[in-house]
Amino acid sequence: MNDASAGKTRFRVGGMDCASCATKIENAVSRLPGITEVGISVSAGTMTVSHSGAAPSAEITRQVKALGYSVAMLGATRAVETGGARHVHGPGCNHDHAGHDHAGHDHAAHDHGTHSGHDHGAAAANATDTGHDHFDLDDGPWWQSRKARLTIACGAALLGAYAIGHFIPQAGHWAFLAALAVGLIPVARRAMTAAITGTPFSIETLMSIAAIGAVFIGATEEAAMVVLLFLIGELLEGVAARRARASIRGLADLVPKTALIEEIGSTREVPADSIRVGAIMLVRPGDRVAADGMIVEGSSTLDEAPVTGESVPKAKASGDEVFAGTINTDAVLKVRVTAAAADNTIARVIKLVEEAQESKAPTERFIDRFSRYYTPAVLVVGALVAILPPLALGASWSEWIYKGLAILLIGCPCALVISTPAAIAAGLSAGARRGLLLKGGAVLEGMRRVTTVALDKTGTLTEGKPKVTDIVAVTRPEAKVLSLAAALETGSSHPLAVAILARAKADGVPVPPASAARAIAGKGVAAMVGGEDVLLASAAAAAAIAPLPAELAQRIAGLNAEGKTVSVLLVDQQVAGLLAMRDEPRPDAIAALATLKADGIATVMLTGDNEATARAIGTGLGIPVRAGLLPDDKQRIVRELQKSGQVVAKVGDGINDAPALAAADFGIAMGGGTDVALETADAAILHGRVTDIPDMIALSKSVMGNIGQNITIALGLKAVFLVTTIAGITGLWPAILADTGATVLVTANAMRLLAWRGR
């Protein structure tokens, strides 16, 4: 690893199961010299450390281990990016989007160092020596973790103390004191380390004060039970956190571990992470695709549900893209690999979600600030409850000290602190599984406020590639017109040629061979087909060769008014027929726009296309249109909407959308968009579904509703037990159960979001 320059280093942290854990680690690591920023994702179990010089890896490891956690370094230090956000390729970034030509996009030419060596497993191959067993990095069964072993030891010691107390009553006090020490010493050590490294008011601090105070007032047995319950609560947090991590790491399991590579006429099985770009991969029926690529031979149906959530398998043939993790169902395919393992669709999703989880949402930041004052306030309230009644009213010291200690346990902020990050992490993971990538909790939290969605046309509301919509027979049947046009276009990569060939294939018409093919500058393409001179040209070029009847000219004008491009087929200088083509709306566009309207969200199309074409598409979709726009026009309109009080989400996929994406409150890049659009956007829709736009907003609302429920649970239980404790109804045991129970309830409630599937 090269530590010579400023950069970022990622670590996997084991045993970090709640937001208070993250706060302690963040405070401790950020105090080290040379550290400029620390980003922590509890749900992913990762920490990203930004440093101004060489990465102080040994010091970071020592500091984290001192707090009671294990740590392993992931990948290598990477140079700090200075040119904006890192780009994330959409899965279709080599599509040709009518004016945004990505066909020559060279994946290998880009620096993907941000993914280099990234290990999505539980521990990196190049992990530093942590001095702990591998289970500390959350690998293996939960009952073999250090937290489980400590909890079991404490439970066994407490059972032993009860047995000793039963048979040798005079030794009972000392037996319970020993049982208490088994659990309390590790907790108190963590409290002291946290205090030294910048977190004096931690949950461990409150726990230690309460347990030691209970010993002084003679409640040793109860103190030992409270410590055991605390450790059980921590263990339950760990189990819940493992489930959250498994939900996103499980994505990595969609990609098979091995693949069949074809080399010099033979095939061999290789590890999937060793496949190089350009290799030819053999995918048999029933196999999962091991890497992103393009089909070079064969046709089959692929089940993309694991990656896109689509329930209907898609038919794909030569030239079509396939994604890692999808399932080949019908026939053998040969696929040319277009992305290395660290850059495939699944890896990009995992990477972006983990980075997003490391950024805090506004609500989470508020809760963090609140907890800094809340915990010291709990200590003050506990002290006042313990001291004031005896001093002012002559009440029993032991009774009110007991109540004060119970209040310390009730006031533990774990449930409150985890209420937001648990829901945010679950929401980000659930969205990622549907191809909705949101770059951070702030975006996920704020998306619910969107009041207007501005959408690009080409590649966003439409497929981004023309299709043959009309075939008009004049002197030849429709099938013959299509057959001759396809013969002329065979071998061409022009978007209109691709549309004609695709329609011929879909209709099953024969494509005869053409000879003496030639392009006629400014007119069209011509060739000899079956002994006939065939020309496919624009209407204006065709009219110069063969006069068009008035009725036919009127038909062409009508098609043009619908935003369609018309080509005229001439055979031996006679009009044989017409073909009309247009970039058609995506199949789900009408439903998506209707859903947004039903949700009270306004929509508008912003496009650089001509007025006639844009109006034709807009009328069909029922959306207002602003056409003929330059990039700065789109940005200006977005700012005008914002000035009128609208919260604007801009959706686009091209370079000309980047300024508007940056200006909008929330920029959303459509799958298959350019790198610039993906860099600029706050979120990305990987799979090109327009219905994912209202789904993304709905996900934001679901997450914020869940956060509200969590905060209510956390504070509500505390309020109830505060009253019952002061009234003398409940004591230390129910107090710690209230905190542990609230934490488990909040975590379980947040985990419900993992089942979110959209509308």
Side-chain angles (χ1 to χ4, degrees):
M1 189 185 82
N2 177 19
D3 279 340
S5 61
K8 295 183 179 181
T9 306
R10 286 173 62 80
F11 295 85
R12 182 78 66 195
V13 181
M16 178 178 63
D17 300 325
C18 68
S20 61
C21 298
T23 300
K24 285 182 289 187
I25 295 171
E26 183 178 348
N27 289 343
V29 175
S30 62
R31 293 162 70 95
L32 292 173
I35 302 300
T36 57
E37 186 179 357
V38 179
I40 294 178
S41 168
V42 174
S43 57
T46 59
M47 173 176 65
T48 299
V49 179
S50 300
H51 39 87
S52 57
S57 304
E59 290 83 352
I60 291 171
T61 299
R62 186 162 47 251
Q63 198 84 312
V64 174
K65 284 172 59 180
L67 291 169
Y69 307 96
S70 54
V71 59
M73 192 160 55
L74 296 175
T77 296
R78 59 182 185 265
V80 174
E81 295 85 351
T82 57
R86 288 180 295 279
H87 69 264
V88 181
H89 295 288
C93 67
N94 60 346
H95 285 174
D96 190 323
H97 294 289
H100 306 299
D101 182 17
H102 311 301
H105 187 84
D106 181 8
H107 289 267
H110 286 275
D111 177 16
H112 298 294
T114 59
H115 305 292
S116 176
H118 189 81
D119 182 354
H120 299 294
N126 60 338
T128 56
D129 179 14
T130 63
H132 297 291
D133 60 62
H134 68 283
F135 298 116
D136 291 342
L137 288 174
D138 302 324
D139 193 11
W142 62 268
W143 58 85
Q144 292 180 330
S145 65
R146 281 195 305 144
K147 284 187 177 181
R149 292 198 295 266
L150 178 59
T151 304
I152 292 169
C154 187
L158 190 58
L159 286 175
Y162 274 114
I164 292 171
H166 179 74
F167 293 108
I168 313 174
Q170 62 271 26
H173 171 76
W174 300 105
F176 281 111
L177 195 61
L180 170 64
V182 170
L184 183 60
I185 288 175
V187 173
R189 186 186 299 123
R190 282 156 49 193
M192 291 178 62
T193 304
I196 293 169
T197 54
T199 313
F201 301 110
S202 64
I203 173 68
E204 288 83 2
T205 300
L206 296 180
M207 185 69 241
S208 300
I209 293 172
I212 293 169
V215 171
F216 278 104
I217 62 171
T220 307
E221 176 182 343
E222 199 166 358
M225 178 58 75
V226 164
V227 170
L228 176 61
L229 290 174
F230 171 75
L231 294 175
I232 291 173
E234 280 204 322
L235 181 60
L236 291 174
E237 282 181 13
V239 173
R242 280 168 176 256
R243 182 184 169 193
R245 287 179 196 130
S247 70
I248 188 62
R249 289 189 195 170
L251 286 171
D253 295 333
L254 294 175
V255 181
K257 303 301 180 188
T258 61
L260 289 175
I261 297 298
E262 188 176 85
E263 292 177 337
I264 319 175
S266 63
T267 59
R268 66 186 181 96
E269 192 173 61
V270 301
D273 57 8
S274 69
I275 301 174
R276 289 180 290 184
V277 174
I280 301 298
M281 182 171 56
L282 196 69
V283 186
R284 300 165 300 187
D287 286 353
R288 284 187 184 269
V289 179
D292 289 0
M294 181 174 290
I295 298 173
V296 294
E297 186 179 314
S299 59
S300 183
T301 302
L302 280 93
D303 179 4
E304 297 188 338
V307 178
T308 68
E310 291 288 353
S311 58
V312 180
K314 286 188 177 181
K316 299 209 172 187
S318 182
D320 289 335
E321 285 186 308
V322 295
F323 309 127
T326 56
I327 304 167
N328 182 22
T329 61
D330 293 339
V332 175
L333 295 175
K334 289 185 180 180
V335 177
R336 177 179 289 110
V337 176
T338 57
D343 257 340
N344 67 39
T345 303
I346 300 295
R348 290 198 305 269
V349 169
I350 294 171
K351 176 68 175 176
L352 189 56
V353 171
E354 287 191 348
E355 288 182 347
Q357 289 174 349
E358 289 171 5
S359 66
K360 292 185 178 181
T363 301
E364 185 178 354
R365 288 195 295 268
F366 170 76
I367 294 293
D368 282 349
R369 289 195 302 270
F370 176 75
S371 65
R372 288 178 197 149
Y373 301 100
Y374 170 84
T375 307
V378 167
L379 281 169
V380 172
V381 170
L384 291 176
V385 167
I387 295 171
L388 286 183
L391 287 179
L393 304 174
S396 167
W397 278 98
S398 61
E399 177 188 350
W400 284 94
I401 288 174
Y402 181 88
K403 290 180 179 181
L405 295 175
I407 285 172
L408 291 186
L409 298 178
I410 292 169
C412 289
C414 278
L416 181 63
V417 171
I418 204 173
S419 61
T420 299
I424 292 289
L428 289 170
S429 298
R433 285 181 169 272
R434 286 212 19 105
L436 310 180
L437 300 187
L438 298 104
K439 299 180 181 178
V443 178
L444 178 58
E445 181 178 318
M447 196 73 75
R448 76 191 192 283
R449 299 184 289 105
V450 169
T451 58
T452 298
V453 177
L455 303 103
D456 183 39
K457 180 182 78 68
T458 304
T460 300
L461 285 171
T462 66
E463 296 280 4
K465 49 189 176 183
K467 293 182 178 179
V468 175
T469 58
D470 302 87
I471 302 173
V472 180
V474 179
T475 61
R476 303 289 175 101
E478 288 184 8
K480 187 65 174 176
V481 171
L482 181 58
S483 177
L484 291 172
L488 293 178
E489 300 289 13
T490 298
S492 173
S493 60
H494 190 280
L496 298 182
V498 171
I500 291 170
L501 292 168
R503 178 63 182 267
K505 182 178 180 180
D507 289 2
V509 303
V511 181
S515 61
R518 61 199 183 278
I520 302 174
K523 294 184 179 181
V525 60
M528 295 299 296
V529 182
E532 295 179 305
D533 187 14
V534 183
L535 170 67
L536 187 65
S538 65
I545 297 171
L548 303 177
E551 183 181 343
L552 192 59
Q554 188 175 357
R555 181 70 183 273
I556 292 171
L559 292 169
N560 285 333
E562 294 173 10
K564 297 175 181 177
T565 299
V566 179
S567 294
V568 180
L569 185 74
L570 301 179
V571 177
D572 293 333
Q573 299 189 348
Q574 298 295 316
V575 178
L578 309 175
L579 291 98
M581 287 158 279
R582 187 174 69 177
D583 181 14
E584 290 292 273
R586 294 181 185 269
D588 63 343
I590 292 177
L593 294 174
T595 301
L596 288 170
K597 184 177 180 181
D599 291 344
I601 298 171
T603 57
V604 62
M605 179 197 295
L606 305 181
T607 178
D609 213 339
N610 66 76
E611 188 79 22
T613 301
R615 291 285 174 197
I617 296 291
T619 300
L621 294 176
I623 182 174
V625 173
R626 302 284 293 272
L629 304 175
L630 296 173
D632 56 339
D633 294 325
K634 294 182 180 183
Q635 185 185 54
R636 173 179 50 79
I637 292 170
V638 166
R639 294 201 185 283
E640 288 173 357
L641 289 168
Q642 290 171 322
K643 287 180 181 177
S644 68
Q646 301 296 307
V647 177
V648 182
K650 173 68 176 72
V651 189
D653 78 320
I655 292 174
N656 61 354
D657 294 306
L661 288 170
D665 296 282
F666 301 99
I668 304 173
M670 204 68 164
T674 63
D675 291 338
V676 175
L678 289 165
E679 286 175 5
T680 310
D682 301 298
I685 294 172
L686 289 188
H687 305 305
R689 295 180 292 243
V690 187
T691 49
D692 281 347
I693 300 168
D695 272 358
M696 191 176 279
I697 296 170
L699 175 61
S700 173
K701 292 178 179 178
S702 295
V703 169
M704 292 310 296
N706 191 280
I707 289 173
Q709 295 164 6
N710 289 345
I711 292 173
T712 300
I713 292 170
L715 294 180
L717 280 175
K718 291 182 186 304
V720 169
F721 279 90
L722 178 65
V723 172
T724 57
T725 297
I726 292 177
I729 301 171
T730 56
L732 290 179
W733 291 20
I736 192 64
L737 280 174
D739 178 68
T740 300
T743 302
V744 172
L745 284 175
V746 163
T747 305
N749 188 51
M751 291 304 100
R752 290 191 306 111
L753 289 168
L754 294 174
W756 182 87
R757 293 291 181 270
R759 306 190 195 220

